[in-house]
Amino acid sequence: MGGWQPLPDDLPPEVRHFVEQLRLLKDRTGLSLVALGARTAYSKSSWHRYLNATQPPPRQAVAALCRIAGLGGTDAERYGVRWELAVQAWPRPATLPAPPAESAAGDGYEDDPTLPWWDTPPEESGRGRSGRLLLSAVLLLLVTLLIGVVGTVAFG
């Protein structure tokens, strides 16, 4: 694996396998960490932490890398499964409290709640946002018409 720094010896096998696969996928894109950061919602330093097993990546970061690498369908799903296995086994820093028992995946790590607008699946984008956009468009149209009528009456 070329220029990658060695992974810690005490990594669980699931984490090691996942990070190695993520590194191969990143290398397949041909992008630097800076370029990868520019093409995703995650910074160069975040990608550095993810690809050196310092911190588990959010599921959305893995999905973004799969998309950039041209993976879809079953191949992208495999990375999602690898992510789940890795996050469950990821070593926890001693300073963090134990994860709550009711954690969604039982992994103790929260999936990054921030999702850039370009990664929001159509079924998840709320009607509130599209409703506000429609309202804004209608108001803009009414203001334009009002200005046109006032201009015609005043100067016509």
Side-chain angles (χ1 to χ4, degrees), residues 116-132:
W117 62 268
W118 60 84
D119 279 348
T120 304
E123 64 274 6
E124 289 183 21
S125 55
R127 292 205 45 89
R129 182 173 179 212
S130 60
R132 284 192 305 268

Side-chain angles (χ1 to χ4, degrees), residues 45-106:
S45 58
S46 292
W47 281 111
H48 184 269
R49 289 189 302 272
Y50 306 153
L51 294 167
N52 286 300
T54 311
Q55 176 185 345
R59 182 186 297 268
Q60 293 93 340
V62 176
L65 180 56
C66 286
R67 205 170 20 263
I68 289 169
L71 294 184
T74 307
D75 291 331
E77 287 175 25
R78 284 189 189 117
Y79 277 89
V81 171
R82 288 180 186 134
W83 175 85
E84 288 178 22
L85 293 171
V87 169
Q88 289 174 5
W90 211 283
R92 286 155 185 44
T95 57
L96 289 180
E102 65 276 357
S103 173

Side-chain angles (χ1 to χ4, degrees), residues 12 15 18 21 24 27 34 38 47 55 59 66 76 78 85-86 93 100 106 126 129 131 139 143 148 151:
V15 175
F18 173 70
Q21 293 300 307
L24 288 172
D27 287 344
V34 172
W47 281 111
Q55 176 185 345
R59 182 186 297 268
C66 286
R78 284 189 189 117
L85 293 171
R129 182 173 179 212
L139 286 175
V143 168

